[in-house]
Structure formats: C-alpha cells, structure tokens
Amino acid sequence: ESSSFWYINCKTNGAYRGFPGHAASEGIFRDNFGVFQGCISIYLGIIVALHATLFAVMVAMEHANLEMWLRLC
C-alpha cells in the first residue's frame, strides 16, 4: 500500500566483469506509486566490484539532489 506522503525509491546496481574489470553503475527512480521518474547509467572504467556498487549509490544520491528529491528511500 502506498504511503500518504510522496517519496522517491531508488534501486541501484554496480556490475563488473573480471577482477578488476570493466565496470558500470546504474539506478532507477520510482515514486511511491511505482511511476518511473528517471534513471542513471555510467561506465566507470576498470575497477573492482565494491567500488562499482559504491559509485552507484553516490551517483544516485547526487542525481536525486540535482532533481531536488528530498525524500529518497
């Protein structure tokens, strides 16, 4: 059931191939009704998996800040 206040839900993922290997980060933003609000995707170069995952979270938070989405879940 949806909440009575508006918020943005963000799902992120960092993926890589090899150790270390080519990596990318991605994320999708939806509101509390499940409506698509935006997405991000970035190639990170050759790094390890932990860095790819952390970059995904950092880029998602930066994007939410630029969009002025103050309630990010």
Side-chain angles (χ1 to χ4, degrees):
E1 182 160 318
S2 296
S3 175
S4 61
F5 64 92
W6 190 81
Y7 64 90
I8 294 290
N9 188 2
C10 180
K11 303 291 184 186
T12 60
N13 187 32
Y16 74 103
R17 182 178 177 135
F19 185 80
H22 293 277
S25 294
E26 60 201 26
I28 186 166
F29 299 91
R30 296 184 183 274
D31 67 12
N32 55 311
F33 299 107
V35 176
F36 175 80
Q37 296 293 318
C39 61
I40 55 171
S41 180
I42 186 169
Y43 173 71
L44 301 172
I46 298 179
I47 59 174
V48 295
L50 176 62
H51 292 162
T53 302
L54 293 175
F55 269 108
V57 173
M58 291 187 325
V59 170
M61 291 173 64
E62 183 177 322
H63 182 76
N65 185 47
L66 291 173
E67 294 288 337
M68 294 195 292
W69 294 330
L70 303 177
R71 293 182 175 159
L72 184 66
C73 296

